Amino acid sequence: MSTNLFDLSGKTALITGATHGLGMAMAIGLGNAGATLVINGASSQEKLNNALAEYKALGLKAHAYLFDVTDEKQVIENIAKIEKEVGQIDILVNNAGIIKRTPLEDMEVADFEQVIKVDLVSPFIVSKHVVKGMIARKEGKIINICSMMTELGRNTVGAYAAAKGGLKMLTKNMATEWAKHNIQVNGIGPGYFATSQTAPIRVDGHPFNDFIVGRTPAGRWGDPDDLQGAAIFLSAKASNFVNGQIVYVDGGILATIGKPSNES
């Protein structure tokens, strides 16, 4: 198979929430495949600048823009700036997200609404304004970052599960409406990954660590770099007839109900 099917040279990718963690890992993968990166964050200019320095230290072509993806006015203004200062957006990765771990019976309505706004409404807002250029050019790739909670429930993450389940159907409907413009819209559903946030529980003997390792057919946590292949594939020519799909990068969790306790 020709390697140019996965070559992103000459493409510009906007990755939201890419100052750390899985968003940064996917962005690095796209950059190593040749894409020019546009990194978004909303927490602080300092954090954004530090992330940009990390990308550039890796030799990647990267730019950074501070804006809130839930604020349509800011999104419109910054997309216009990106298109003027960097160029057209060929690839959009809607990665920005939050989670609030609270039992549903105790959760404040405002907190539930905030999770929905960040995790579900913001991909709609950003996609709505990026896709207009893609429609005009008759070409584009949009990747929505879903979750295990797109398919499964779990205690204390009801708002997150509702948002990520909705994001699956938003992805399918985006594909339904925009495929005729040669735009491919798909999702990636990460499993459980080894990040700085999960470090305290990724130790032998910790109940959740033992649960994840035992529940995952691959027998391990995912490495953030494990997401790069899926991100590159869904951003490249190789996926030009793939539309409306959610690719779960989970070590096989969704393929099984898990091992009985008496299995090795």
Side-chain angles (χ1 to χ4, degrees):
M1 183 177 289
S2 175
T3 56
N4 68 6
L5 286 175
F6 300 92
D7 183 8
L8 301 180
S9 299
K11 302 295 185 180
T12 296
L14 168 59
I15 307 96
T16 67
T19 59
H20 64 285
L22 300 185
M24 176 173 277
M26 288 185 285
I28 289 170
L30 299 185
N32 284 332
T36 296
L37 305 176
V38 178
I39 306 308
N40 155 264
S43 58
S44 73
Q45 188 65 52
E46 180 183 11
K47 186 173 181 179
L48 193 61
N49 290 344
N50 290 340
L52 182 60
E54 289 189 51
Y55 287 108
K56 292 191 172 181
L58 294 171
L60 302 176
K61 296 172 288 185
H63 307 264
Y65 289 81
L66 184 74
F67 62 95
D68 180 354
V69 291
T70 69
D71 185 322
E72 187 173 23
K73 183 174 182 291
Q74 289 187 39
V75 169
I76 292 170
E77 290 173 350
N78 280 275
I79 287 172
K81 285 177 63 178
I82 292 164
E83 291 175 339
K84 180 180 179 181
E85 296 171 2
V86 182
Q88 66 188 36
I89 299 168
D90 305 292
I91 301 158
L92 169 63
V93 182
N94 286 308
N95 170 73
I98 61 170
I99 187 168
K100 291 181 179 290
R101 300 182 186 277
T102 310
L104 284 170
E105 68 270 22
D106 298 327
M107 193 169 206
E108 298 292 338
V109 171
D111 288 337
F112 189 95
E113 289 177 337
Q114 184 185 15
V115 174
I116 297 296
K117 187 173 183 180
V118 175
D119 294 357
L120 179 58
V121 179
S122 78
F124 160 69
I125 293 172
V126 181
S127 298
K128 171 186 175 181
H129 293 290
V130 169
V131 81
K132 293 175 181 179
M134 294 178 173
I135 290 172
R137 296 187 298 274
K138 295 291 183 182
E139 184 177 40
K141 303 279 186 176
I142 297 175
I143 303 171
N144 293 323
I145 303 306
C146 297
S147 166
M148 290 290 90
M149 302 304 100
T150 296
E151 301 291 345
L152 302 171
R154 190 162 180 269
N155 288 339
T156 76
V157 296
Y160 184 77
K164 293 299 186 177
L167 187 57
K168 176 177 75 170
M169 295 313 301
L170 180 61
T171 299
K172 290 179 178 293
N173 221 85
M174 287 176 171
T176 299
E177 296 194 24
W178 298 336
K180 62 178 178 272
H181 301 295
N182 189 33
I183 296 165
Q184 291 80 51
V185 187
N186 294 286
I188 295 175
Y192 289 92
F193 278 78
T195 65
S196 59
Q197 290 178 314
T198 60
I201 61 175
R202 282 187 289 105
V203 292
D204 290 342
H206 192 288
F208 194 71
N209 179 72
D210 294 347
F211 168 73
I212 292 302
V213 173
R215 178 71 173 79
T216 305
R220 65 176 178 86
W221 291 74
D223 185 291
D225 290 350
D226 290 331
L227 283 173
Q228 294 182 354
I232 293 167
F233 168 65
L234 293 177
S235 298
K237 291 179 182 178
S239 60
N240 276 359
F241 203 56
V242 179
N243 229 329
Q245 304 302 308
I246 311 299
V247 179
Y248 290 98
V249 185
D250 66 353
I253 290 178
L254 289 175
T256 178
I257 60 170
K259 296 185 295 185
S261 58
N262 62 348
E263 281 192 12
S264 59

